[in-house]
Amino acid sequence: MIARLRRAYRGMRLGTRLALGLGALALVVFAVVGTALTTYMRDYLSAQLDTQLAQAQIAQSKSIADDGTLSGKKYYSWFYAVYDVSRGTPELRRPEDPADLPKDVDDFTALASAQSAAHTELLRTEHLRGAGTYRLRACEVETGVVLVSAAPMEDIEDTVGQLITIQVVTFALALLALVVFGRRMLRRGLKPLSDMASTAHGIASHNLTESAARLPLRADGRDGGPEVDELRTAFNTMLEHIDDSLAVRAQAEQRLRRFVADASHELRTPLMSVRGYADLFQYAAANAPEERDRHLARLRAEAARMGILLDDLLLLARLDAAEVEAPLRLEDADLVELVQQAADAFRASRPYHPLTVTTGPEALEVRLDPQRVRQVLDNLLANAAVHTPPGTPVSVEVVVAPGTALVRIADAGPGIPPEDQERVFDRFYRVDKARSRDRGGSGLGLAVAQSLVRAHGGRIELNSEPGATVFTVRLPLKGVVPGGR
């Protein structure tokens, strides 16, 4: 039974449970207040009756002492008994009126005997057979004479009973009103929580598997007080965080799809070339031996191109998983020397682009991976040469800023359109969509450069306008926390 009640209670809504809890608490409070009030009223009325008995006995004792009678000193429904006490034994006098005594006077006699022994007034409450509950008081009239008076307590009991009835009815109505109206008020106060629960159900039914899934629901309103408002704010903040996470996930999925599509497309071209030149090589080997070496050279060139593309993809994958596998081998190296080496290689391979190198310090020791930083410099210089007409000047400058080493690679080419500047570091992205892959590259050079610089704790900045495009590589100096300035 108790287990069933517990299950039923747990199945109730929070507002109903709170209302029942308030009702139970109110019932305890009402019981304590009612008991205290009833006890106080009973004691007060009993004290009033005791005072009335004492005042009546004063007049009755005087009448007995003077006239030997109680004539004119009696109260309706009261009982009176006069005892003569001799040697501690009370003897009842003949009553003036038989109605002055109850049918059973044993309680009167016992109280008179106790009074004669105590020599002081005594009070007792007794239930007289056939008469009801009475308040008895015994006092000494004169030496050897004891008066016992009894006043009915029926009026007190009736008054206390009526008080209890009124309390029960009043408290029951108050309790009913408290539960009913309290439940309504609690339901109204808890409505914001119900709204948030409905919002959560709506979110649960929302399809979060969509690539661009967003949560259209929010918990609104101003009711509920500071606590509910704080919960609502935390709830909405959580939804915003989920929205941001979904947006990041959607962007990552889009980038992954675009990356896979671009990588497949980029790999398909050299693979088709390899297949075609392999067929030509096979044909030339059988029919035109003089063409065999040329086709073999082209086959090797396409294979090498595909190998470079795969190496770049592998490097980007390792940089993306840098927390698992560190792709850098850091050591103390001279950045100025690396810039001079990259400049010499550029002059040798791109003689149609004049290159100017400006270095502030003669040597600049930085903790880095020389091979990877050289790869960054080669990629940025190659990007300047590929995307500018022959004869366009290119410059490299090394500058030391507080806590940072700067390498600026600039060209005087046509510049990068503003709408493309934010995407030039995306993988497989080309500003000129029609550019041939033989001349324009795979579109991974800047993406690789940016990932390598970030792996060193630095960053690449781009400023471009017609006639001036500047890539700035920022690397932290030794003793500087990566990412600091």
Side-chain angles (χ1 to χ4, degrees):
M1 181 65 179
I2 296 178
R4 191 182 302 113
L5 290 176
R6 285 180 178 175
R7 287 194 297 270
Y9 178 77
R10 291 172 182 172
M12 295 178 181
R13 295 185 65 84
L14 179 59
T16 302
R17 293 169 63 177
L18 289 175
L20 291 177
L22 287 176
L25 180 61
L27 183 61
V28 173
V29 173
F30 291 162
V32 172
V33 172
T35 301
L37 182 61
T38 301
T39 302
Y40 171 78
M41 182 59 68
R42 185 189 297 276
D43 293 343
Y44 175 77
L45 294 177
S46 296
Q48 290 290 98
L49 184 59
D50 292 344
T51 302
Q52 187 178 3
L53 275 170
Q55 292 175 350
Q57 283 190 333
I58 291 174
Q60 292 167 354
S61 297
K62 187 174 184 305
S63 176
I64 292 172
D66 294 342
D67 303 328
T69 179
L70 290 173
S71 300
K73 305 298 182 181
K74 299 178 181 180
Y75 291 86
Y76 175 73
S77 72
W78 284 33
F79 294 125
Y80 307 96
V82 180
Y83 288 89
D84 294 316
V85 181
S86 175
R87 297 179 181 179
T89 303
E91 294 183 2
L92 180 62
R93 288 186 184 180
R94 182 182 179 86
E96 300 174 4
D97 185 347
D100 289 346
L101 292 176
K103 296 178 180 180
D104 185 2
V105 296
D106 291 344
D107 293 329
F108 285 72
T109 303
L111 185 60
S113 177
Q115 194 283 329
S116 63
H119 301 289
T120 185
E121 294 80 4
L122 296 179
L123 286 165
R124 287 182 183 176
T125 300
E126 302 289 350
H127 183 77
L128 303 181
R129 187 176 58 185
T133 303
Y134 275 72
R135 185 70 168 170
L136 279 62
R137 187 177 191 275
C139 68
E140 188 178 35
V141 176
E142 57 185 9
T143 303
V145 179
V146 175
L147 171 62
V148 179
S149 301
M153 300 186 67
E154 181 180 0
D155 292 341
I156 295 178
E157 296 298 331
D158 290 343
T159 302
V160 172
Q162 292 176 5
L163 178 62
I164 293 175
T165 301
I166 293 173
Q167 288 177 348
V168 170
V169 173
T170 303
F171 289 165
L173 293 176
L175 183 61
L176 179 62
L178 178 63
V179 172
V180 173
F181 292 103
R183 186 171 181 271
R184 291 184 179 179
M185 294 178 63
L186 287 172
R187 181 181 298 177
R188 182 176 179 181
L190 295 174
K191 188 177 182 301
L193 299 182
S194 300
D195 293 341
M196 280 185 271
S198 299
T199 302
H201 286 302
I203 293 171
S205 62
H206 190 65
N207 186 8
L208 299 180
T209 60
E210 300 175 0
S211 59
R214 297 287 292 177
L215 302 179
L217 304 174
R218 290 293 184 274
D220 299 324
R222 296 291 181 183
D223 299 332
E227 295 82 3
V228 175
D229 189 59
E230 182 178 355
L231 176 61
R232 184 187 298 111
T233 301
F235 187 77
N236 288 337
T237 302
M238 178 191 67
L239 294 182
E240 291 293 339
H241 180 69
I242 295 175
D243 262 351
D244 294 340
S245 299
L246 290 175
V248 171
R249 187 194 71 175
Q251 293 175 0
E253 290 178 352
Q254 291 176 358
R255 287 196 302 268
L256 179 61
R257 291 192 185 100
R258 187 170 61 248
F259 178 79
V260 172
D262 291 341
S264 301
H265 184 71
E266 294 291 339
L267 289 173
R268 183 178 61 180
T269 301
L271 282 174
M272 292 180 64
S273 298
V274 167
R275 181 183 300 173
Y277 285 119
D279 293 340
L280 290 174
F281 177 80
Q282 183 180 11
Y283 175 81
N287 301 287
E290 66 279 2
E291 296 291 329
R292 183 180 57 184
D293 292 339
R294 186 169 63 88
H295 294 321
L296 181 60
R298 293 293 298 175
L299 183 64
R300 288 175 176 173
E302 291 297 330
R305 178 185 166 200
M306 186 167 58
I308 293 173
L309 178 60
L310 290 175
D311 288 341
D312 287 343
L313 290 175
L314 178 61
L315 176 59
L316 287 172
R318 294 180 63 193
L319 290 171
D320 289 340
E323 67 278 4
V324 177
E325 179 183 4
L328 301 181
R329 293 180 175 87
L330 300 178
E331 61 183 66
D332 294 336
D334 186 358
L335 180 61
V336 174
E337 182 180 353
L338 289 176
V339 170
Q340 293 288 3
Q341 293 174 1
D344 294 339
F346 179 82
R347 291 190 183 100
S349 61
R350 313 279 183 172
Y352 45 85
H353 281 279
L355 177 64
T356 302
V357 179
T358 304
T359 58
E362 295 182 358
L364 181 58
E365 191 174 82
V366 180
R367 187 161 185 80
L368 45 77
D369 185 333
Q371 180 180 354
R372 296 307 182 186
V373 171
R374 172 65 187 275
Q375 185 177 359
V376 171
L377 297 174
D378 290 341
N379 286 354
L380 293 176
L381 287 170
N383 180 78
V386 168
H387 296 88
T388 58
T392 302
V394 179
S395 64
V396 180
E397 181 183 10
V398 180
V399 181
V400 178
T404 307
L406 305 180
V407 179
R408 295 191 180 98
I409 299 176
D411 64 71
I416 301 174
E419 62 273 12
D420 293 319
Q421 291 184 19
E422 294 183 358
R423 298 194 57 190
V424 293
F425 294 103
D426 291 350
R427 299 169 187 183
F428 297 111
Y429 184 80
R430 294 183 179 87
V431 175
D432 185 0
K433 307 300 186 299
R435 187 181 302 277
S436 68
R437 286 175 173 79
D438 290 335
R439 184 169 181 268
S442 64
L444 290 177
L446 292 181
V448 171
Q450 184 185 55
S451 297
L452 286 173
V453 171
R454 285 180 176 175
H456 282 84
R459 65 181 187 272
I460 297 181
E461 299 172 352
L462 169 62
N463 293 294
S464 180
E465 60 184 17
T469 297
V470 181
F471 286 90
T472 302
V473 178
R474 292 179 175 268
L475 294 174
L477 293 176
K478 292 176 59 177
V480 178
V481 179
R485 298 193 60 177

